[in-house]
Amino acid sequence: PALLRGACFRDRERVVTRFPNRYSGQENNRLAAEWLRDRFTALGLGCTIDRWEIINYSRPVPLNNVACRLPGESQKEILVIAHLDQAPTTVQGADNDGSGIAILLQLAEIFAAEQNRPYSLAFVATDAEEYGMIGSGRYIETQADSSNILAGFSLDNIGRTYYDGMNMELVGQYRNYGPIWLALTMREAARAAGIPWKVNLRAPFDQVTDQAAPISFMDQGPLVAAGIPALGFTAHVPARDIDVNYHLWHDPGDTLERQSAATLQQAGLIAEALIRQLMSMKSFPQESGPYL
C-alpha cells in the first residue's frame, strides 16, 4: 500500500477549514461538493454532481452527490463512499466525515496514477448521510445497472488520535447483511499487507442483534439493502477512550485538534489494501450465509 500520511491529512484540513458548517442544504455544502468535483477532476477522474432536493419538515433541502469514476478494463466496478455532509451540531466535522473524504481523495490519487486497472473504480462523496444515508441510497437508485458494482465500502469516523484498529459495519438499511467473504477479505488483505492495525469481525452476538433490528448508521446500509456486497469502515475505540468518544459524537469538539495523521494513514492503508485485493480477484462469490 502506498497511501501518503501527510497528503491525506492536508486534504482533510482543506475540507474542514474551508467548508465548516457544510451540513445538508447549506451553502458550504454546495461549495464543498464543487471543490471536491474539481479536486477529483484534476486527478484525472470523470466527475459529475448529482443535484436533487428533499422536503424536510415542509422545507426544501437541496442535496449534492459528487460521483467520480476511474475506468478500468471492465465496466464492473468497485465502489468507495464517504459523506461530505456533517451533523448540524458540529462546526468542522473533522472526523465525521472529513476523515473519510480525505482518504477518498488520496485513494483516487493513488489509483489514478496507475495503469491497467482490471476493474473500474467509483469514488462517491455523498450528501445527507446524517439524514439517513439518503445520498448513498440515491446513488444506487440512479445507477443504470447496479449489478455492475462488484463490491463497495464506506469510510466514516477514522482519524482521531486514540483510534487503534478498524471495525466493520455490515447491517443493511432495514434488510440484508454484508457477506462473510467481503469481511474476511478485508481482514486478510490488511494482514497480508503487514498493516499494524487489527481488523475486527463482528462478534456472533452482535451479528444476531444487528439482523434482529437492521437499522444502519453508515453509508453501506443502502448498498447492502440493495443486495450489493458492501461493508462500512469505522475505527475501533479503546475502552479507556469510550466516554470521550461518546461526548465528541456530533459535537462541536469534532475538530482537527483531535485528529492524527498517523491514525488516518493506518485507516487509509487498510482501505487501499482491500481495493488492491479486490482488483486482483478473477471471480467473486455470489452467495453467503447470513452469519459470519
Side-chain angles (χ1 to χ4, degrees):
L3 195 106
L4 302 177
R5 181 174 65 186
C8 202
F9 195 81
R10 286 193 297 274
D11 275 327
R12 176 170 50 187
E13 184 175 18
R14 293 186 188 107
V15 171
V16 305
T17 58
R18 291 188 190 186
F19 310 106
N21 302 306
R22 59 188 180 281
Y23 49 95
S24 297
Q26 299 303 300
E27 178 68 3
N28 266 5
N29 179 283
R30 179 184 66 81
L31 294 174
E34 293 174 353
W35 183 85
L36 287 168
R37 175 200 58 196
D38 294 345
R39 180 83 170 86
F40 279 115
T41 301
L43 295 174
L45 284 72
C47 295
T48 60
I49 296 181
D50 177 22
R51 303 186 193 274
W52 79 104
E53 189 175 272
I54 62 169
I55 303 299
N56 189 40
Y57 292 102
S58 302
R59 299 181 62 181
V61 179
L63 301 177
N64 309 274
N65 272 358
V66 184
C68 303
R69 202 165 191 270
L70 276 173
E73 296 172 10
S74 169
Q75 288 299 307
K76 299 287 187 180
E77 71 180 32
I78 297 162
L79 171 62
V80 190
I81 292 177
H83 67 93
L84 67 89
D85 65 310
Q86 65 188 79
T89 50
T90 61
V91 178
Q92 288 190 342
D95 199 46
N96 188 7
D97 188 24
S99 59
I101 289 293
I103 291 176
L104 197 72
L105 283 166
Q106 285 299 300
L107 291 172
E109 183 170 359
I110 289 166
F111 285 98
E114 298 182 1
Q115 303 297 318
N116 303 317
R117 292 177 292 271
Y119 303 112
S120 299
L121 284 167
F123 297 94
V124 182
T126 59
D127 202 350
E129 189 269 356
E130 300 292 354
Y131 282 179
M133 293 71 67
I134 291 175
S136 57
R138 165 82 175 186
Y139 179 78
I140 297 303
E141 291 168 2
T142 55
Q143 294 308 292
D145 186 1
S146 61
S147 67
N148 277 332
I149 303 174
L150 295 168
F153 61 89
S154 66
L155 302 158
D156 206 344
N157 292 274
I158 43 183
R160 288 206 180 116
T161 54
Y162 49 76
Y163 293 156
D164 65 354
M166 187 72 82
N167 290 342
M168 291 182 278
E169 297 293 334
L170 296 122
V171 67
Q173 192 173 26
Y174 311 128
R175 62 183 180 187
N176 292 339
Y177 202 65
I180 182 173
W181 72 261
L182 185 58
L184 294 175
T185 297
M186 176 187 172
R187 187 181 68 176
E188 292 307 308
R191 182 196 58 78
I195 298 167
W197 267 17
K198 182 180 178 182
V199 176
N200 303 305
L201 293 173
R202 295 285 283 169
F205 178 80
D206 293 325
Q207 295 171 41
V208 173
T209 56
D210 285 348
Q211 295 177 80
I215 302 172
S216 62
F217 294 97
M218 291 175 60
D219 267 331
Q220 92 288 339
L223 279 65
V224 174
I228 296 166
L231 51 80
F233 290 174
T234 189
H236 176 263
V237 181
R240 67 178 182 276
D241 297 302
I242 287 176
D243 287 343
V244 172
N245 195 67
Y246 175 79
H247 289 295
L248 287 174
W249 184 256
H250 289 177
D251 186 84
D254 182 9
T255 63
L256 280 173
E257 285 70 27
R258 297 180 180 273
Q259 299 289 287
S260 163
T263 300
L264 195 66
Q265 184 188 39
Q266 289 301 306
L269 287 171
I270 291 172
E272 182 187 350
L274 176 58
I275 293 175
R276 293 196 183 281
Q277 177 60 39
L278 293 171
M279 282 288 201
S280 75
M281 293 167 61
K282 303 297 184 183
S283 61
F284 292 76
Q286 298 301 305
E287 296 180 2
S288 177
Y291 301 103
L292 305 190

